[in-house]
Structures are given as C-alpha cells and as structure tokens.
C-alpha cells in the first residue's frame, strides 16, 4: 500500500523569485539549514546530501519542468523507513497573491505504519517549508 504526505506554504513573494531559490535540484543548502552540503553527480541528475549531523541521503532527479516550476525526485539511499519514495516540489503562481509552494511525496512504509511514515515526511516537509519562509523574509 502506498502512503503519502503533502504540505504547502503560501508566500507573498512571486513564483519566479521563489523558484529561483528552490528550483535548482542542488540548491537545498541555500534555503534548508538542515542540509549542510549537496554534491551533484551524474550531470546533476543525482545529489548526495549531507545533513547537519553528518548523515547522508542520496536522491535522483526523476523529472524537471522549468515552465511548471516543478521537479520530482526519488530516494536512492537514506535512513528512512520507506521504499519506493518519490517526491515533488512545485511553486504555483497565485498572481497578485504571491505563490504557493507544494511539497509532496508518495512511498511505501517499511517497518512502520503508513501513518508513522506519513507523519515523518509531513514533519520534514513542514520544517523545510518553515525554513524556506524564514529565508524568504531575510
């Protein structure tokens, strides 16, 4: 069975401005303090992330759409209790209202319940978008 998580952030900034910050597959350290380093490989299709505690997460870019301001990625290696993870980060233009950032993922829980896996990623997405909101106001 597939579980899912989804978190959104409404921002006053333009979609173009927010996409310039988050749209690079290798840009997580620019707005996510939890990620200390991102090293691209395979022509930018793979990123090796190192978190603040030294843990390593490897993710593969699966789809990128500049016009839709979105990219999707999968986990190659990570300490998370899931398999089949696929996530999408998208910035949606809301005209004069700014934009909405949507971070969502689907996965199969492995060794935990679907609810526990969903709660884990909802927390990661929520904390990540809170960090993005903080970065946008500085």
């Amino acid at each position: 069975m597939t579980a899912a998580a989804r978190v959104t952030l409404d921002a006053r900034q333009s979609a173009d401005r927010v996409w310039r910050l988050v749209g690079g597959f290798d840009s997580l350290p620019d707005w996510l303090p939890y990620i200390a380093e991102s090293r691209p490989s395979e022509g930018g299709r793979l990123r090796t992330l190192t978190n603040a505690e030294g843990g390593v997460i490897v993710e593969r870019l699966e789809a990128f759409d500049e016009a839709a301001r979105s990219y999707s990625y999968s986990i190659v290696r990570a300490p998370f209790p899931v398999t089949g993870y696929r996530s999408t980060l998208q910035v949606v233009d809301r005209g004069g209202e700014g934009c909405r950032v949507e971070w969502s993922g689907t996965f199969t829980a492995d060794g935990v319940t679907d609810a526990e896996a969903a709660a884990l990623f909802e927390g990661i997405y929520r904390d990540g978008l809170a960090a993005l909101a903080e970065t946008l106001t500085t």
Side-chain angles (χ1 to χ4, degrees):
M1 188 163 145
T2 301
R6 182 175 186 270
V7 176
T8 63
L9 167 70
D10 289 328
R12 292 188 309 267
Q13 293 79 9
S14 73
D16 285 341
R17 175 174 177 222
V18 174
W19 181 245
R20 279 193 301 273
L21 179 60
V22 304
F25 186 58
D26 195 41
S27 70
L28 286 180
D30 297 341
W31 59 273
L32 192 59
Y34 178 70
I35 300 298
E37 180 184 29
S38 178
R39 285 179 325 219
S41 59
E42 294 186 12
R45 293 181 303 278
L46 201 69
R47 65 184 178 193
T48 300
L49 308 171
T50 305
N51 67 26
E53 293 82 39
V56 173
I57 301 164
V58 180
E59 298 173 332
R60 177 174 305 285
L61 182 64
E62 300 290 347
F64 184 88
D65 188 332
E66 183 75 32
R69 296 183 195 91
S70 97
Y71 68 80
S72 297
Y73 62 95
S74 61
I75 289 179
V76 175
R77 184 178 50 140
F80 302 128
V82 299
T83 60
Y85 178 92
R86 183 162 175 134
S87 181
T88 298
L89 184 65
Q90 181 169 20
V91 180
V92 179
D93 190 351
R94 296 178 63 221
E97 301 292 315
C99 68
R100 172 169 288 145
V101 182
E102 301 174 351
W103 199 351
S104 61
T106 57
F107 37 84
T108 301
D110 184 15
V112 298
T113 67
D114 286 351
E116 289 169 326
L120 170 69
F121 285 103
E122 284 170 4
I124 290 169
Y125 300 162
R126 187 174 40 255
D127 292 349
L129 292 181
L132 173 60
E134 178 83 14
T135 300
L136 289 169
T137 59
T138 58

Coordinates of all heavy atoms in Angstrom, one line a residue, residues 18 26 43 70 72 94:
V18 N 10.7 32.8 -5.9 CA 10.8 31.6 -5.0 C 11.4 30.4 -5.8 O 12.3 29.7 -5.3 CB 9.4 31.2 -4.4 CG1 9.5 29.9 -3.7 CG2 8.9 32.3 -3.5
D26 N 20.1 21.1 -6.9 CA 21.3 21.1 -6.0 C 21.2 22.3 -5.0 O 22.2 22.6 -4.3 CB 22.6 21.1 -6.8 CG 23.8 20.8 -6.0 OD1 23.7 19.8 -5.2 OD2 24.8 21.4 -6.2
G43 N 25.9 14.4 -14.0 CA 25.5 15.5 -14.8 C 24.4 16.3 -14.1 O 23.5 16.9 -14.7
S70 N 8.6 23.0 -11.3 CA 8.5 21.8 -10.5 C 9.6 20.8 -10.9 O 10.1 20.8 -12.0 CB 7.1 21.1 -10.6 OG 7.1 20.1 -11.5
S72 N 10.6 16.5 -9.7 CA 10.3 15.3 -8.9 C 11.6 14.5 -8.7 O 12.5 14.5 -9.6 CB 9.3 14.4 -9.6 OG 8.1 15.1 -9.7
R94 N 0.3 32.5 -7.9 CA -1.0 32.9 -7.4 C -1.3 34.3 -7.8 O -2.1 35.0 -7.2 CB -1.2 32.7 -5.9 CG -1.1 31.2 -5.5 CD -1.1 31.0 -4.1 NE -2.4 31.4 -3.5 CZ -2.6 32.0 -2.4 NH1 -1.5 32.3 -1.6 NH2 -3.8 32.4 -2.0

